[in-house]
Amino acid sequence: MNAITPAALEPQAPDALAAAVAALEEDIVFGRLHPRERLTEDELMARFDMKRHAVRQVLVELELLGVVERKRNIGAVVRAFSAREVMELYALREVLEVHAASLMPLPVPPARLAALTAVQREHDAAVADGDARHVFRSNQRFHREFFGLLDNAVLGQAIEEYARRTHPIRFGSLAAANYRERARQEHWAMIHALRDGDRATLMTLCREHLLPSRDAYLASEQARRGA
């Protein structure tokens, strides 16, 4: 047995670990890595120039994010969801996000509405450029800012947690330009509802905003089973 050298046990830089986690998360979100696809340690070591213990930490972080699962005698694979799991996850997201919209103080103070609008302009630019990575990250910032209007950290964390758990489900909608444009327009409709104090419209938008990614995943899984 080869001895483990001190160099092999050197801690990996936190930035390198975070970058690897983000890169693999994006690969899953954008469909470059597919549900049930295996993630091998050797391939990840070569790709990210990491030691094995660091790659294992990356896989642990992805498992905590809910986008990877460990299977006995197989290893780490991109998480796949049954139709029932998809429906249940999105039903819970609907409960959380519509409830948040029902509690948001209206009208929103101009300074906070301006901050949300600034984030959305970044999202507009990303959609216009067709920059999928920027679309994904600016979309995350928009929703973090949007639900931050509630000033309820516990509810905000729950919303963010279950949104993250649906990342492997979202590739069908993020990959398609028409879905990205629909999301962009719905963001602006939310901003206008906040500005106008229109709670009923805001709650409806929060509910309908979830549907495209759910339905695209279900359609892709049905097509896969048919094939």
Side-chain angles (χ1 to χ4, degrees):
M1 180 182 293
N2 293 331
I4 298 177
T5 65
L9 295 175
E10 289 177 0
Q12 196 76 33
D15 288 350
L17 288 171
V21 169
L24 290 167
E25 180 188 28
E26 289 170 5
D27 283 349
I28 292 167
V29 170
F30 301 138
R32 294 190 287 266
L33 290 171
H34 302 288
R36 305 175 189 83
E37 187 167 344
R38 190 178 174 210
L39 302 176
T40 66
E41 293 180 1
D42 288 345
E43 289 177 355
L44 297 180
M45 288 168 63
R47 174 178 173 182
F48 295 109
D49 191 23
M50 285 182 167
K51 305 295 185 184
R52 190 173 301 278
H53 72 278
V55 163
R56 288 176 177 170
Q57 183 59 40
V58 168
L59 292 173
V60 167
E61 294 297 325
L62 291 169
E63 188 172 21
L64 291 173
L65 289 176
V67 298
V68 162
E69 58 185 339
R70 304 289 188 97
K71 294 199 171 185
R72 190 171 182 177
N73 301 324
I74 295 176
V77 298
V78 177
R79 185 164 181 194
F81 296 84
S82 68
R84 178 175 177 174
E85 288 173 323
V86 171
M87 296 299 292
E88 289 175 348
L89 269 171
Y90 275 83
L92 179 55
R93 287 190 65 191
E94 179 181 324
V95 169
L96 293 171
E97 296 184 21
V98 173
H99 181 59
S102 77
L103 298 177
M104 282 182 184
L106 297 177
V108 174
R112 299 195 71 175
L113 193 62
L116 181 65
T117 300
V119 174
Q120 181 51 38
R121 294 198 188 283
E122 292 181 22
H123 185 253
D124 288 347
V127 172
D129 292 344
D131 183 340
R133 182 179 184 277
H134 192 190
V135 169
F136 174 51
R137 296 302 179 187
S138 60
N139 180 72
Q140 284 185 307
R141 287 195 294 275
F142 174 87
H143 286 280
R144 195 172 296 119
E145 188 79 26
F146 175 80
F147 288 112
L149 295 170
L150 183 59
D151 290 327
N152 183 325
V154 173
L155 182 54
Q157 287 167 4
I159 288 170
E160 190 164 350
E161 168 67 18
Y162 282 97
R164 185 181 294 115
R165 287 183 181 275
T166 60
H167 281 177
I169 297 172
R170 298 173 59 197
F171 65 86
S173 57
L174 280 170
N178 60 317
Y179 284 124
R180 294 198 297 263
E181 176 58 23
R182 171 176 167 169
R184 188 191 73 80
Q185 292 180 14
E186 287 176 348
H187 287 181
W188 279 109
M190 290 175 187
I191 290 171
H192 295 156
L194 290 168
R195 180 197 63 197
D196 299 339
D198 187 348
R199 191 177 303 282
T201 296
L202 188 67
M203 292 170 66
T204 297
L205 285 164
C206 284
R207 180 179 296 108
E208 294 180 349
H209 195 59
L210 295 169
L211 300 179
S213 56
R214 182 199 71 182
D215 294 346
Y217 185 89
L218 291 173
S220 69
E221 283 296 284
Q222 187 175 17
R224 183 189 65 81
R225 289 195 302 272

